[in-house]
């Protein structure tokens, strides 16, 4: 086993100083307005693409449009589209449906009718809950906007000295 330290001219050659980047150049400080646009995924329907563009415009107006959030915005657009679709079904057919059941009781046929909530009611509720959660994740809900903006500031009070 050799000892005595490194040998001259062994190992990788160092880069020329002209090719090394300064610390500021390596960080690549983003310039406002120069961020790439959020591009909707191709699997979105035309309505979802319109919703995606609307949400992306909101984020861009706040200076928070990041391309890596495109999938979350697409998921929110899909959920908002589902909310619209389920709401349209419920408006045209109503919130309830009737199911008829025929059973035999003591040798006789008994017909019972039950009024139940349509399946779209539960699907609409779940889609709205998920959309609200995604709006909070993207800081687009009013409560999240209060956190983003620092909240409402009260005027100076008499107990500020404590």
């Amino acid at each position: 086993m050799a000892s005595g330290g490194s040998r001259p001219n062994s190992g990788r050659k160092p880069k020329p100083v002209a090719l090394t980047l300064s610390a500021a150049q390596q960080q690549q400080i983003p310039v406002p307005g120069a961020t790439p646009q959020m591009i909707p995924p191709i699997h979105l329907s035309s309505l979802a693409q319109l919703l995606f563009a609307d949400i992306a415009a909101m984020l861009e107006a706040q200076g928070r449009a990041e391309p890596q959030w495109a999938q979350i915005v697409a998921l929110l657009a899909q959920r908002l589209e589902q909310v619209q679709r389920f709401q349209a079904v419920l408006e045209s057919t109503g919130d309830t449906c009737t199911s008829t059941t025929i059973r035999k009781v003591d040798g006789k046929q008994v017909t019972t009718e039950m009024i139940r909530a349509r399946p779209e009611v539960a699907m609409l509720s779940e889609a709205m809950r998920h959309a609200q959660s995604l709006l909070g994740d993207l800081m687009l809900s009013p409560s999240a906007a209060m956190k983003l903006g620092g909240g409402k500031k009260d005027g100076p009070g008499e107990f500020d000295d404590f």
Side-chain angles (χ1 to χ4, degrees):
M1 181 175 208
S3 62
S6 61
R7 294 183 298 261
N9 296 328
S10 65
R12 185 185 298 188
K13 304 289 183 212
K15 287 183 180 180
V17 177
L19 294 179
T20 59
L21 298 175
S22 68
Q25 290 171 331
Q26 289 175 354
Q27 289 179 356
Q28 295 180 353
I29 301 168
V31 178
T35 58
Q37 283 188 329
M38 295 178 72
I39 300 170
I42 59 173
H43 67 273
L44 293 180
S45 67
S46 58
L47 176 59
Q49 286 184 1
L50 290 173
L51 292 167
F52 182 96
D54 188 35
I55 298 163
M58 284 185 231
L59 289 170
E60 191 173 326
Q62 295 175 358
R64 300 185 306 115
E66 299 288 334
Q68 66 265 22
W69 295 349
Q71 293 300 326
I72 297 294
V73 174
L75 186 58
L76 176 58
Q78 284 180 318
R79 279 309 217 176
L80 291 175
E81 178 188 23
Q82 287 176 349
V83 166
Q84 288 182 6
R85 187 171 57 241
F86 295 144
Q87 188 65 38
V89 168
L90 291 174
E91 285 176 3
S92 65
T93 61
D95 293 348
T96 59
C97 62
T98 304
S99 64
T100 305
T101 307
I102 300 174
R103 294 184 294 170
K104 284 194 174 189
V105 177
D106 295 330
K108 294 182 180 180
Q109 288 187 346
V110 177
T111 303
T112 58
E113 287 188 359
M114 293 186 68
I115 298 174
R116 298 182 179 190
R118 295 185 61 81
E120 289 86 356
V121 172
M123 291 187 283
L124 174 64
S125 177
E126 181 63 27
M128 290 175 77
R129 188 174 294 118
H130 192 206
Q132 182 182 12
S133 173
L134 290 169
L135 282 168
D137 288 347
L138 289 170
M139 300 291 243
L140 290 174
S141 66
S143 63
M146 292 292 285
K147 294 176 190 173
L148 186 65
K152 182 180 176 184
K153 302 289 184 193
D154 290 337
E158 60 183 272
F159 299 110
D160 286 346
D161 294 336
F162 289 113

